[in-house]
Amino acid sequence: MIFLENEHLIAGFNTKGAELQKLELKSTGLDYLWKGDPAYWGKFSPVLFPIVGALKNDSYIFENKTYSLSRHGFARDKEFEVSRPADNEIIFTLRNSAETLVVYPFTFELALHYKLEDSGLTCTYKVNNPGEKELLFSLGGHPAFAVPFTPDTCYEDHYLLFDRDEDLFFNKIEHNLISDEQGVLTLKGSKLPLNHELFKDDALVFKSLKSEKIRLANNKNIHGLEFRFSQFPFFGIWATPGADFVCLEPWCGVADGIHHNQQLRDKEGIQTLSPGVKWERSWHVSLF
């Protein structure tokens, strides 16, 4: 574990996957991140790269050749290089290797830049194309926040407060792929009460969410967080049924649809980066 600390927060990271694994508010001693219990789900906040979600048949086609990639890609399982540009910042970097080129034939540089700002943390994903050909990729976040935060509350005491009072149209998941079937959740006063039944059929995948920030709070005390994600066109909300967490997932890309032709260039949400061009997106979480 590598730690960042300021007056308000302590954040801890693992070089494997550049994964945020601790986010403590010092004034209360509360750690707002899920504990990574492998009995339910052993991750904390993985980066999804170079794909988000699953591929149809766990494979894709690029330039008439078929490649295999497991769900969410390989970055979350790789060791990243570390640099510290300032006391309140840390950068983790991953580059292509002989191993990655076997499953993903692109030259890339991926960096996760974490920065503490007052009682909040900003995570910026940076992708650089140092090669001579186009770089095709998807990228997403997957932070899991503890629910409940405190022992005096239960899962059902918590809710998500959206900044727009909208109907939440979501695409349902079928065998890890995006199905043609849609569902809808109707908010009451912009609130979505949390319960484990919400995720009995996998994640809720939103392709047309109007909200750009979500507050995770509860009915029993003042503790919670605000999550801002305006730079991401897709969003997922997920938890393992029965586990004490909820994932708020900003995505640039989604899983394959059930009718997808498996061509990487035709993948929904695919990002295309020309040689020498840099790309970045950020999300921010504030604790209270």
Side-chain angles (χ1 to χ4, degrees), residues 3-288:
F3 294 94
L4 288 181
E5 184 173 351
N6 67 5
E7 181 181 353
H8 303 284
L9 298 178
I10 301 173
F13 309 88
N14 196 320
T15 55
K16 182 180 179 181
E19 188 175 29
L20 174 67
Q21 295 189 345
K22 179 183 181 67
L23 192 59
E24 179 183 322
L25 187 61
K26 293 169 70 173
S27 61
T28 62
L30 296 176
D31 186 351
Y32 283 68
L33 273 194
W34 157 246
K35 300 299 186 286
D37 183 350
Y40 292 96
W41 185 60
K43 299 289 187 180
F44 300 77
S45 179
V47 56
L48 315 182
F49 179 90
I51 59 170
V52 173
L55 297 170
K56 188 176 182 179
N57 299 325
D58 292 324
S59 62
Y60 66 92
I61 302 168
F62 180 72
E63 295 184 342
N64 298 317
K65 186 175 179 180
T66 300
Y67 298 87
S68 296
L69 268 180
S70 59
R71 193 180 192 187
H72 294 323
F74 52 71
R76 58 183 179 166
D77 297 315
K78 299 294 186 184
E79 282 288 331
F80 282 64
E81 299 174 12
V82 183
S83 62
R84 297 285 293 266
D87 289 343
N88 65 330
E89 299 178 50
I90 191 166
I91 299 174
F92 296 89
T93 303
L94 178 70
R95 298 175 179 85
N96 60 280
S97 64
E99 184 180 22
T100 67
L101 289 170
V102 172
V103 295
Y104 181 64
F106 297 95
T107 302
F108 70 87
E109 182 178 274
L110 167 66
L112 274 71
H113 184 174
Y114 295 99
K115 183 177 182 180
L116 296 184
E117 301 169 294
D118 296 324
S119 58
L121 170 74
T122 298
C123 174
T124 301
Y125 304 109
K126 300 180 180 183
V127 181
N128 177 34
N129 182 0
E132 299 178 352
K133 297 181 179 181
E134 281 187 330
L135 169 60
L136 275 63
F137 67 95
S138 295
L139 189 150
H142 203 308
F145 298 105
V147 179
F149 300 124
T150 58
D152 60 329
T153 60
C154 66
Y155 200 88
E156 289 74 16
D157 291 327
H158 293 73
Y159 59 87
L160 299 177
L161 180 66
F162 292 74
D163 69 334
R164 305 283 183 90
D165 194 11
E166 58 182 304
D167 287 334
L168 303 180
F169 292 94
F170 64 94
N171 288 80
K172 296 185 178 182
I173 302 295
E174 183 178 319
H175 303 299
N176 293 330
L177 304 179
I178 305 293
S179 76
D180 294 334
E181 186 179 359
Q182 273 198 334
V184 61
L185 296 168
T186 300
L187 300 181
K188 295 182 179 180
S190 301
K191 288 184 179 181
L192 176 65
L194 286 182
N195 63 78
H196 292 297
E197 283 295 304
L198 280 173
F199 313 108
K200 61 183 178 62
D201 297 321
D202 211 322
L204 305 175
V205 178
F206 304 100
K207 295 184 180 181
S208 57
L209 196 64
K210 296 176 183 177
S211 293
E212 297 183 344
K213 61 183 178 181
I214 296 174
R215 180 167 288 211
L216 172 57
N218 71 85
N219 300 314
K220 296 290 183 67
N221 59 53
I222 62 172
H223 302 299
L225 61 86
E226 183 174 271
F227 192 80
R228 302 202 302 265
F229 53 94
S230 62
Q231 299 178 348
F232 297 83
F234 306 104
F235 199 80
I237 302 176
W238 174 78
T240 300
D244 291 334
F245 70 85
V246 64
C247 288
L248 303 179
E249 306 179 43
W251 297 335
C252 289
V254 290
D256 282 352
I258 58 175
H259 303 299
H260 184 50
N261 63 12
Q262 296 184 260
Q263 295 286 340
L264 188 63
R265 286 193 180 276
D266 297 335
K267 183 172 176 58
E268 186 174 15
I270 199 73
Q271 308 292 300
T272 302
L273 204 58
S274 299
V277 176
K278 297 180 180 181
W279 176 102
E280 67 176 60
R281 300 287 188 277
S282 298
W283 55 260
H284 179 86
V285 59
S286 298
L287 309 183
F288 54 86

